[in-house]
């Protein structure tokens, strides 16, 4: 009874919202027909030769995304930036074999709307989203839409207004829902097109399906002579006949009891992303679906297909100031600066600052967020407000390096610092809180040996490199080490592969670092 009540209720609102365990897609029969017709129209626009050439000579096409992160007027309901970045990473992985990649156009936009936050399916909510669109981009809105409780989440593509809405609990690094809804944007119907809202197993299980359903021709199992797959259902012959439009099937090897209109046994493709099978099953688009996506892209005009950077960011950043375990500096000032290493290819950084627990161990407490945000101006530093910091307490911070296209890199490890109003002379602090010293890449595989020294103030230091047998290999006496970061290249032409120790001595103390030379 619950299923029929929900279906009736949704029709009463003029929109059929299908409940599925994984893909809770809100595309109505009316909208589904528009999507399919666009796909069929694109087929007529391109000759077979043009299509063959298009598919044979594909290069990476970059699609600009306008992502709007919805919250209400009380500041509630926004989605974490890292969740958004993770879904983009997963989305690019799914579409990579089609040479289709997505990037964030300009910035992630914070959108305030009580209408969308309350119920994304209303006319008011859709009007807001339509009015806030950025032309010639793929517009994606992410919000809670709290009208739909746990277990009946809803995401959808709106073809008449040309935007995608993703309900917050369905946004994930797997990006299966996102890939499904964007598949609709690219003119892909459901594999079960025509069966929306009908539980085929409950109504027709154990017998033959009718020749038509919801005024649509039912797809036959057969291929070749007598097949109707080019026009029935989703219009693709390499997606097997599929009548499952409900959330009740989680098996990845499902054999329906309902038969096709001729009595043939169905063998649906549970791995297809445009189906309604479990996320654990779905992972692919078919070849004909990929062709339809390519035609859709060719028939659209985007504001740009060139992201600011196509570099793949993989590196992890390290703390420069404050050093790990060091004093932050006086929180009597309105801000204090957090500084970290540049990462190759990164133009944005996601910075997270949290409180800690367990004194002496300083375990990061993710429930005590002091700051989280994107640094999107290219800087590798941030001036943190001291309003929420307390002298004597330790805080943890970490950085994720990325750019508008490449969002898959991991966060760095956490670094911790102590907030203080102390004005103690730096000379009185342990050397580890004044100077950091490391080999920049370890093992070293370059001719020169790269050293990085960060000093809180200018000092004079000497650098020595020793073999593991204690023999001095090279030395540099009384070098000026400037305040801030110092990059030093030690000539290594005469070094053989093996283990070494490098030692820095100053009037503040001694630091050492072991490294491996492996060319």
């Amino acid at each position: 009874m619950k299923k029929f009540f929900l279906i009736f209720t949704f029709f009463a609102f003029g929109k059929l919202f299908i409940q599925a365990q994984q893909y809770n897609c809100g595309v109505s029969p009316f909208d589904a027909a528009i999507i399919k017709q666009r796909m069929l129209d694109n087929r007529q626009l391109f000759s077979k030769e043009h299509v063959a050439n298009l598919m044979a000579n594909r290069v990476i096409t970059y699609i600009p995304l306008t992502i709007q992160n919805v919250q209400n007027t009380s500041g509630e309901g926004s989605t974490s930036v890292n969740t958004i970045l993770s879904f983009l990473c997963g989305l690019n992985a799914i579409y990579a074999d089609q040479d289709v990649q997505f990037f964030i156009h300009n910035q992630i936009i914070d959108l305030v709307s009580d209408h969308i936050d309350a119920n994304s399916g209303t006319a008011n909510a859709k009007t807001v989203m339509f009015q806030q669109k950025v032309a010639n981009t793929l517009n994606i809105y992410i919000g809670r839409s709290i009208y739909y409780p746990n277990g009946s989440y809803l995401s959808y593509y709106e073809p008449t207004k040309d935007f995608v809405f993703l309900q917050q609990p369905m946004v994930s690094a797997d990006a299966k829902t996102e890939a499904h809804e964007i598949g609709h944007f690219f003119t892909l119907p459901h594999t079960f097109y025509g069966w929306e809202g009908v539980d085929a197993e409950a109504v027709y299980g154990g017998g033959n399906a009718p020749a038509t359903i919801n005024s649509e021709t039912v797809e036959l199992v057969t291929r070749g002579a007598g097949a109707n797959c080019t026009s029935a259902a989703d219009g693709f012959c390499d997606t097997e006949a599929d009548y499952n439009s409900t959330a009740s099937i989680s098996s990845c090897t499902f054999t329906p009891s309902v038969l096709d209109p001729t009595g043939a046994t169905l063998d649906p493709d549970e791995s297809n992303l445009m189906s309604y099978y479990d996320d654990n099953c779905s992972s692919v688009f078919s070849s004909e679906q990929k062709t339809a996506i390519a035609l859709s892209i060719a028939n659209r005009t985007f504001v740009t297909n060139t992201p600011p950077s196509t570099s793949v960011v993989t590196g992890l950043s390290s703390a420069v100031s404050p050093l790990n375990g060091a004093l932050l500096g006086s929180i009597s000032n309105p801000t204090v600066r957090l500084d970290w290493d540049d990462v190759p290819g990164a133009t944005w950084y996601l910075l997270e600052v949290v409180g800690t627990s367990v004194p002496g161990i300083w375990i990061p407490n993710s429930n005590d967020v002091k700051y989280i945000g994107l640094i999107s101006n290219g800087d590798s530093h941030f001036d943190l407000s001291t309003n929420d910091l307390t002298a004597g307490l330790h805080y943890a911070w970490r950085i994720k390096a990325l750019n508008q296209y490449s969002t898959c890199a991991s966060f760095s490890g956490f670094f911790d610092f102590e907030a203080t109003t102390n004005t103690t002379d730096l000379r009185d602090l342990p050397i580890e809180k004044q100077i950091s010293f490391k080999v920049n890449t370890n093992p070293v595989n370059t001719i020169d040996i790269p050293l990085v020294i960060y000093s809180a103030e200018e000092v004079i230091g000497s650098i020595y490199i020793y073999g593991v047998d204690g023999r001095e290999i090279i030395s540099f006496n009384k070098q000026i080490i400037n305040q801030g970061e110092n990059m030093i290249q030690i000539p290594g032409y005469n070094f053989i592969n093996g283990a070494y120790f490098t030692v820095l001595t100053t009037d503040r103390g001694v630091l050492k670092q072991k490294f491996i030379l492996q060319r």
Side-chain angles (χ1 to χ4, degrees), residues 437 460-464 475-479 481 503-506 511:
F437 176 54
I460 301 297
S462 297
I463 300 170
Y464 305 91
S475 64
F476 297 88
N477 294 311
K478 296 184 178 180
Q479 304 294 308
I481 298 172
V503 177
L504 171 67
T505 65
T506 73
L511 294 170

Side-chain angles (χ1 to χ4, degrees), residues 467-482:
V468 291
D469 58 0
R471 179 171 47 92
E472 182 181 301
I473 308 299
I474 195 169
S475 64
F476 297 88
N477 294 311
K478 296 184 178 180
Q479 304 294 308
I480 295 175
I481 298 172
N482 296 313

Side-chain angles (χ1 to χ4, degrees), residues 437 439 451 453 461-466 474-476 500-506 509-515:
F437 176 54
V439 178
L451 303 181
I453 302 173
S462 297
I463 300 170
Y464 305 91
I465 295 182
Y466 297 93
I474 195 169
S475 64
F476 297 88
Y500 297 87
F501 290 97
T502 181
V503 177
L504 171 67
T505 65
T506 73
V510 178
L511 294 170
K512 66 179 181 178
Q513 172 80 49
K514 182 180 180 180
F515 70 91

Side-chain angles (χ1 to χ4, degrees), residues 312-320 340-346 348-350 380 397-402 407-415 438 440-441 485:
V312 176
V313 180
T314 59
L316 300 180
S317 197
S318 297
V320 171
W340 55 88
D341 286 333
D342 292 332
V343 173
W348 290 6
Y349 295 92
L350 180 60
S380 54
W397 61 295
R398 61 179 182 169
I399 312 102
K400 174 178 178 147
L402 63 140
T407 63
C408 297
S410 300
F411 268 107
S412 68
F414 274 105
F415 313 104
K438 67 177 183 178
N440 202 35
T441 56
E485 186 176 274

Side-chain angles (χ1 to χ4, degrees), residues 65 151 173 228 232 250 268 272 284 287 289 339 363 390 399 417 424 427 438 446 449 471 482 497 504:
L65 302 181
N228 62 358
S250 59
N272 197 283
V284 299
S287 294
Q289 287 175 324
D339 198 354
I363 298 173
T390 302
I399 312 102
F417 62 81
T424 301
R427 289 176 174 273
K438 67 177 183 178
T446 55
I449 300 164
R471 179 171 47 92
N482 296 313
N497 286 349
L504 171 67

